[in-house]
Amino acid sequence: MPLFTAIGAAVTAVSAWIGSLGTLGAFALKTAVGVGLSLAAQALAGKPKEQNFALNGELQGGGDLPRSFILGKYATAGSLVWANAWGKSGDTPNSWLTQVIALSDLPVKGLLEVWVDGEKVTYAPSGSDGIFGYSVPEYVKRGPNLYIKFYDGTQTVADEALVTRAATAERPWDATRIGRGVAYVVVHSRCIDNMFNGFPSFRFVVDGLKLYDPSKDSSVGGSGTQRYDNPATWGGDGDYLPAVQAYNLLRGLKYNGKWFYGLQNLAAARLPAADWIAQINKCRQTIMGASGLEPTYRSAGEIQIDAPLSAAIEALLTACQGRISEVGGVYRMHLGAPDLASIGFNDGDILSTEEQEFTPFVGLADTINGISATYPSPKDNWAVVTAPPLYRSDLEALDGNRRLMADVPLDFVPYPEQVQRLMKSALEEARRFRRHTLVLPPRFWAYAVPGAIFVWNSVRNGYIDKLMRIDGVVDRANLDVMIDITEVDPADYDWDSATDFQPPVDGAVGPIRVAPQPIVDWFAEPDAVKDNNGVSRRPAIRLSWDGSEERIIDVIGVEFEVRNATSLETVYSGRTDQPSEGSLLISQGLVANVTYGVRGRYIPRSERETLWSNWLNVTTPDVRFGDGDVYLPGLIEDLQGFTEEATDWLRDGVRATILEQQRIARLVIDQDIANFSDKQTLRRELVSRSDEITASYTEAITVATGPGSALAMRIQTVEAKIPTLATASVVDALTARVTTSEGNISSLAGRTTIIENELPNKATVSALSSLTTTVDQQGDTIDAYGLRIYSIEAELPGKASVSAVNSLDARVTTAETTLDGKNRVFRQSATPNATAVGDLWIHTGDSNRLYRASAVGSANWVLSEDQRIPELVTTTTAQASSISSLFAALGGNSAAVNVRASVLATPSGYAARYGIEARTGGAGTYRSAAMYLDVPALTSSPTRVVFLADQFVIASGSDLKNPFIFQNGEATLNVANIGTVNAGLLQSTNGKTKIDLNNGTIEVFS
């Protein structure tokens, strides 16, 4: 019934003299095997433990402390090597306390966790933490207040801060104090209000020694590159397995080739690699736990070198339900569930001539029906806690309704679920009472090894394939073998985490502090900084919080931080000393249409802690520089008006040209000349038909005269037609006309040619060419006008159409008027000083004055103050224009290019305008790009070059490496050579640097 077998009571080959005791041999063997086999039984009997391996939770000091080392992942408070107070904080002397704390007297793999005053803190050194080491963020208040620097035992130089900063004449630290082979930490803590509860206490979780793992050594039957004679190859998951740890203690631990702890000079052959590898792999085998797969057995602890090796091995065996047997100086380990049976026997194999002993049950003192265990709990600051006890009411009923508990210390098992697995398997195995002592013949001698598993089939005992473990062996002189065996069952080690595991209740750890105050109703929303007219001028964020009196007792302010929500870089931080206001508008360093994260907290009057709020994301409004920031007043409105008027001018010119083209065509081919008193016509016609197919030629010549009018016109028409299939036609018209009436004279000459091809309902192509000249005289006004138009059009009805229009026109107008006492009305264009479109100037005939009449409503005119004009008003105007238009349409969408140019010369000024527009779209949605060059007649108006497009690019030749780009209201240029810069605000793209030239400030944000 062994449970948690100790090495001192391990199964052994008892000396042959016990067998010579004759009839007492079996009793002696049972006695020798049974002494101290069960830690649980020892606890029930009140026997004290040989060695205590409880966690070292308090910092120790003194020269008589034994050296120690760490196996696995384990915590320790360490031992104080040196301490000193030094430095100043303001006017406070000795504000820093430095402690040197040894953690292990052999090199370790690393430092995993740090607990300060019972509270786990952040420990994440980067390797570049400076002379003092890693600054613990939880203890940063008005600067760093706690530094930790760790040395793993492989260091070759002394700590720089100890030598140059912390040491004093009274307590020196020389550069020769390196601490070779010793893993230690240097702790610097600063005295500050509400920071530490007296002298700070620490616990350090250490990743312990690198160990040799034979299962990772291919030279001894394992698989891997580890070699026992090369410690540099050691280390791995075996460092946390009890079988590997026990193996290294039996081989002996060394530092720099010198023995440190464990057995000395033990040959490798005395620890059979195959047996140990098998047990190591049993530890490594995974089992499903509450948090996922984990190794079946792990162990960790701190061992003082004054502890007997047997006690250390016992603690490791306790962690894995293990035993160690020693036969002929060869050590083997047996752990966990029983191995496979090596041989079997039955009743006939037992020597009936030899005595036999059978124990069907044990005494009450050795009976166990419940187990409790203690272990170090990592979640409870590594304090020793009690696992949920394991009670068995069914077993208590069998034992006379008694609760018989065993209390087992599991000092080397800081794993809560493994503790409960050990408790369950130990209790199940402890209930295997059947124990036999018997003698087998010599053929069983080779198999009778302590720890071996036999299969026994016994009719006499009712055993069918009963598994028995050999706990003791005595060799007889005649090669018979006496064995002491105990029943075992692999089912004792079954584990179902879902039903068997009871999650432990972790206690509250750490110091009791006043809870930090959170900020209440923290909120952030987009806003804008407005000018005196209520116009948004800058993007801003409005912060708000609960500023009621009951919330801000002992609060003197609110501080906040603003960071870019994408890069997480802080762009602005600040505070307000008026917390009762409950809100604050901020705009410093903010960019339009960018998402920021904002957090805030109260600033207390006392030293108590307050909490930052969660980060709230808010996107600033798209408020950019406007008219008032960059441009002169009214400039934007004026430019907007110009672009609208210029666009209408460009587009309407095309429409007007098309209308004029149609008017002239109608005029040229007009057959109504009834107004002429004398008319003569000559007509020729030639037609050819074949069925419905026709080809025709028609020529009509007309001359006509009448009162004040003369007309000459020739029209030629050529047409070929296949009805419903195709038509081709040409119309050519020549016209000359002169007209005079009441002093008005008009002269017109023109030629129009129309060519058209058509496939009805399929396709149409047409071309028009028109050349027209006109001279008009109306009173004292002479107008000369010339026009040439080309138009080409092609269409697939309902599918697509394209057209091109080109128009050139020129006009010269001269008007001369003398004020002769008669009432006259002058157009604005013929009079000086006219300032408003639509005004008329009226001369009443009584003086050299004109009165301006402005239109009111649709028919009324109002006279305004008179203005003196010269006696003779003579105006000559010359203008010319050119229009080109391309148009294409398909499926409801269209594309057009319009080009228009015009020039004007008058006595009051000269004007020129040129425009190009490309336009596409359909269904009311259009996109366009346009350019205008404008030189107004008035010298007070600026000349303009205007580009309207989503993106404007200027590049040097074909080199697009450094283009100038204007897009979305922003100009982008990679390289600029600027002499003088006139600006109001210079700001970096990320908002971290701002130069306010108007106010003379420079701001840099971290």
Side-chain angles (χ1 to χ4, degrees):
M1 186 283 298
L3 123 120
F4 304 114
T5 307
I7 188 173
V11 180
T12 182
V14 182
S15 301
W17 66 268
I18 298 180
S20 68
L21 296 178
T23 58
L24 297 179
F27 174 77
L29 176 61
K30 290 173 60 178
T31 303
V33 173
V35 172
L37 288 179
S38 171
L39 289 181
Q42 292 181 44
L44 287 174
K47 297 179 180 179
K49 285 186 78 237
E50 181 180 347
Q51 180 72 30
N52 182 7
F53 287 101
L55 184 138
N56 174 23
E58 298 293 335
L59 182 65
Q60 301 181 51
D64 59 345
L65 292 176
R67 291 181 177 270
S68 65
F69 57 91
I70 302 291
L71 293 178
K73 298 176 182 178
Y74 204 66
T76 180
S79 57
L80 183 63
V81 176
W82 183 87
N84 193 25
W86 60 280
K88 294 180 64 176
S89 179
D91 295 329
T92 303
N94 295 329
S95 59
W96 285 93
L97 172 66
T98 296
Q99 297 169 288
V100 179
I101 301 173
L103 305 179
S104 173
D105 291 295
L106 286 177
V108 298
K109 293 195 288 186
L111 178 61
L112 302 177
E113 297 176 6
V114 176
W115 293 68
V116 182
D117 288 340
E119 189 175 26
K120 183 180 177 181
V121 298
T122 303
Y123 179 70
S126 63
S128 57
D129 295 310
I131 184 175
F132 293 106
Y134 176 74
S135 172
V136 178
E138 288 84 351
Y139 286 84
V140 174
K141 185 177 181 181
R142 298 196 299 273
N145 298 291
L146 180 62
Y147 289 100
I148 294 179
K149 195 162 190 178
F150 167 72
Y151 293 92
D152 62 7
T154 62
Q155 63 275 0
T156 58
V157 296
D159 180 81
E160 181 182 359
L162 294 177
V163 175
T164 62
R165 302 290 185 87
T168 60
E170 296 79 11
R171 289 184 172 85
W173 186 275
D174 298 331
T176 58
R177 300 183 68 176
I178 298 172
R180 299 181 188 275
V182 178
Y184 70 95
V185 292
V186 181
V187 179
H188 306 279
S189 51
R190 186 163 70 105
C191 177
I192 189 173
D193 293 339
N194 298 324
M195 185 60 65
F196 300 105
N197 295 325
F199 288 101
S201 62
F202 302 94
R203 286 188 184 178
F204 305 94
V205 181
V206 179
D207 195 356
L209 277 58
K210 291 183 179 180
L211 301 177
Y212 169 69
D213 182 356
S215 70
K216 300 294 185 181
D217 185 349
S218 59
S219 67
V220 297
S223 176
T225 58
Q226 291 194 28
R227 297 295 183 267
Y228 183 76
D229 58 357
N230 185 7
T233 64
W234 297 2
D237 66 329
D239 299 340
Y240 315 111
L241 306 180
V244 174
Q245 295 167 353
Y247 182 91
N248 281 263
L249 293 185
L250 293 175
R251 292 293 299 268
L253 299 178
K254 299 179 180 179
Y255 176 71
N256 280 346
K258 296 182 179 180
W259 174 81
F260 185 83
Y261 183 76
L263 297 181
Q264 301 184 54
N265 303 319
L266 183 70
R270 297 178 62 183
L271 298 171
D275 293 327
W276 282 88
I277 290 174
Q279 302 306 307
I280 291 171
N281 288 334
K282 286 179 68 176
C283 292
R284 183 178 284 121
Q285 184 177 1
T286 57
I287 186 172
M288 180 57 69
S291 58
L293 291 174
E294 61 183 39
T296 301
Y297 297 115
R298 291 172 291 176
S299 57
E302 182 177 9
I303 298 177
Q304 289 79 29
I305 63 172
D306 63 345
L309 178 60
S310 60
I313 296 294
E314 177 185 286
L316 292 175
L317 296 175
T318 303
C320 60
Q321 198 81 324
R323 299 165 179 82
I324 287 184
S325 66
E326 184 270 329
V327 178
V330 176
Y331 296 94
R332 291 180 174 85
M333 190 175 191
H334 313 274
L335 59 85
D339 298 322
L340 296 176
S342 58
I343 196 171
F345 67 94
N346 54 41
D347 293 343
D349 295 318
I350 302 173
L351 296 179
S352 59
T353 58
E354 300 292 339
E355 64 174 323
Q356 300 180 36
E357 290 287 340
F358 171 51
T359 304
F361 52 83
V362 297
L364 186 62
D366 293 326
T367 301
I368 299 171
N369 56 37
I371 289 183
S372 66
T374 58
Y375 68 98
S377 173
K379 291 187 177 180
D380 293 286
N381 190 19
W382 291 83
V384 175
V385 300
T386 301
L390 180 59
Y391 302 118
R392 290 284 297 274
S393 58
D394 57 334
L395 300 181
E396 293 174 10
L398 294 175
D399 297 333
N401 293 319
R402 297 182 180 90
R403 177 169 289 179
L404 306 173
M405 297 292 294
D407 186 10
V408 182
L410 298 175
D411 298 334
F412 271 29
V413 189
Y415 306 101
E417 189 158 355
Q418 182 177 328
V419 168
Q420 296 186 37
R421 289 202 309 268
L422 290 170
M423 293 168 61
K424 180 177 181 296
S425 61
L427 180 58
E428 296 288 353
E429 186 173 322
R431 301 298 295 190
R432 303 295 171 190
F433 295 139
R434 291 177 175 269
R435 181 176 178 183
H436 296 264
T437 302
L438 49 84
V439 180
L440 296 175
R443 66 187 179 88
F444 289 96
W445 179 84
Y447 302 98
V449 178
I453 304 299
F454 275 36
V455 175
W456 187 4
N457 286 282
S458 174
V459 176
R460 180 174 59 193
N461 294 290
Y463 297 159
I464 299 176
D465 292 335
K466 186 73 170 179
L467 295 180
M468 309 295 291
R469 182 186 64 233
I470 298 179
D471 289 335
V473 179
V474 173
D475 296 334
R476 295 280 180 93
N478 61 357
L479 298 183
D480 292 340
V481 58
M482 176 184 291
I483 59 175
D484 185 82
I485 57 178
T486 304
E487 66 172 324
V488 293
D489 189 343
D492 295 342
Y493 290 82
D494 290 345
W495 178 259
D496 185 349
S497 180
T499 58
D500 296 334
F501 178 58
Q502 300 182 48
V505 179
D506 301 321
V509 297
I512 299 176
R513 297 189 177 97
V514 176
Q517 180 185 7
I519 192 168
V520 179
D521 293 340
W522 176 256
F523 189 69
E525 59 184 336
D527 207 329
V529 179
K530 296 179 172 56
D531 59 17
N532 294 335
N533 297 320
V535 178
S536 298
R537 300 287 293 274
R538 297 291 184 273
I541 296 175
R542 182 166 294 279
L543 310 177
S544 60
W545 59 90
D546 188 346
S548 58
E549 184 175 352
E550 60 273 14
R551 295 291 186 190
I552 61 171
I553 297 175
D554 190 45
V555 172
I556 61 174
V558 172
E559 63 177 327
F560 57 86
E561 289 184 357
V562 183
R563 70 181 185 184
N564 185 289
T566 301
S567 65
L568 303 184
E569 292 184 80
T570 299
V571 298
Y572 181 64
S573 60
R575 59 177 286 171
T576 174
D577 295 328
Q578 297 178 329
S580 60
E581 292 295 325
S583 68
L584 179 68
L585 186 68
I586 61 172
S587 62
Q588 296 88 335
L590 301 183
V591 180
N593 198 30
V594 173
T595 300
Y596 294 95
V598 184
R599 68 173 183 171
R601 68 176 176 181
Y602 293 129
I603 303 174
R605 180 176 287 101
S606 61
E607 291 291 333
R608 63 188 179 85
E609 297 291 332
T610 57
L611 290 179
W612 283 103
S613 69
N614 292 329
W615 289 98
L616 296 180
N617 284 353
V618 57
T619 301
T620 53
D622 195 8
V623 177
R624 302 178 184 271
F625 284 170
D627 186 0
D629 297 300
V630 178
Y631 308 106
L632 295 175
L635 179 60
I636 296 299
E637 290 80 0
D638 179 59
L639 186 60
Q640 183 69 31
F642 165 77
T643 56
E644 292 176 356
E645 184 270 330
T647 301
D648 292 340
W649 166 80
L650 180 59
R651 296 176 183 173
D652 292 344
V654 175
R655 289 194 293 269
T657 298
I658 295 174
L659 294 175
E660 180 67 11
Q661 163 189 306
Q662 295 172 347
R663 185 189 69 79
I664 294 174
R666 288 193 301 269
L667 178 64
V668 170
I669 64 176
D670 187 5
Q671 299 301 309
D672 183 13
I673 55 175
N675 294 329
F676 294 93
S677 58
D678 181 67
K679 177 178 67 176
Q680 299 184 38
T681 300
L682 176 63
R683 182 179 181 87
R684 292 189 300 171
E685 184 174 3
L686 184 63
V687 179
S688 175
R689 288 186 175 86
S690 178
D691 294 330
E692 294 183 352
I693 301 175
T694 62
S696 63
Y697 170 80
T698 302
E699 180 183 38
I701 301 174
T702 302
V703 293
T705 58
S709 299
L711 170 68
M713 179 172 61
R714 187 194 72 181
I715 299 176
Q716 287 181 303
T717 301
V718 179
E719 183 178 53
K721 183 176 182 181
I722 301 177
T724 72
L725 293 180
T727 301
S729 64
V730 178
V731 177
D732 185 60
L734 297 175
T735 303
R737 176 187 292 185
V738 293
T739 304
T740 177
S741 176
E742 297 181 356
N744 297 329
I745 303 173
S746 176
S747 174
L748 168 68
R751 179 171 184 170
T752 300
T753 302
I754 301 174
I755 304 174
E756 185 173 20
N757 292 338
E758 180 181 13
L759 298 180
N761 300 320
K762 293 183 178 179
T764 300
V765 179
S766 64
L768 180 146
S769 174
S770 177
L771 181 64
T772 304
T773 60
T774 303
V775 177
D776 292 325
Q777 178 178 349
Q778 298 181 7
D780 295 328
T781 300
I782 300 175
D783 191 353
Y785 177 72
L787 174 67
R788 183 169 187 174
I789 297 175
Y790 295 98
S791 175
I792 302 174
E793 183 174 5
E795 180 181 12
L796 295 177
K799 294 183 178 179
S801 64
V802 295
S803 65
V805 176
N806 182 268
S807 172
L808 296 174
D809 68 89
R811 182 188 299 271
V812 177
T813 302
T814 301
E816 182 174 303
T817 302
T818 302
L819 301 181
D820 54 4
K822 297 181 179 180
N823 294 340
R824 296 182 181 272
V825 178
F826 300 94
R827 295 182 180 273
Q828 178 183 336
S829 60
T831 59
N833 303 320
T835 59
V837 176
D839 290 349
L840 296 180
W841 293 91
I842 300 175
H843 182 245
T844 60
D846 56 352
S847 65
N848 292 341
R849 290 183 179 273
L850 288 179
Y851 294 86
R852 183 172 62 191
S854 300
V856 177
S858 59
N860 299 321
W861 295 85
V862 177
L863 295 181
S864 63
E865 61 186 37
D866 61 343
Q867 295 187 7
R868 184 175 297 277
I869 61 174
E871 297 251 348
L872 182 64
V873 178
T874 302
T875 301
T876 301
T877 300
Q879 64 180 30
S881 66
S882 172
I883 297 175
S884 296
S885 176
L886 300 178
F887 177 83
L890 176 64
N893 295 313
S894 64
V897 175
N898 299 321
V899 181
R900 184 174 182 181
S902 66
V903 294
L904 175 68
T906 69
S908 60
Y910 304 86
R913 177 178 290 183
Y914 181 77
I916 301 175
E917 180 192 40
R919 183 168 179 256
T920 66
T925 301
Y926 289 91
R927 302 175 64 228
S928 66
M931 178 190 74
Y932 301 103
L933 283 72
D934 186 64
V935 181
L938 296 178
T939 57
S940 59
S941 299
T943 61
R944 288 191 177 103
V945 177
V946 178
F947 292 87
L948 300 177
D950 293 337
Q951 185 183 84
F952 178 77
V953 179
I954 299 177
S956 177
S958 61
D959 184 6
L960 293 178
K961 292 183 179 179
N962 297 299
F964 173 86
I965 299 175
F966 187 85
Q967 183 175 351
N968 296 328
E970 294 181 350
T972 302
L973 181 61
N974 186 33
V975 179
N977 186 353
I978 303 174
T980 301
V981 177
N982 294 320
L985 180 68
L986 298 179
Q987 182 171 278
S988 62
T989 56
N990 61 2
K992 286 195 170 184
T993 303
K994 184 172 65 174
I995 304 176
D996 191 335
L997 300 177
N998 291 330
N999 297 320
T1001 62
I1002 300 177
E1003 296 178 83
V1004 180
F1005 307 95
S1006 61

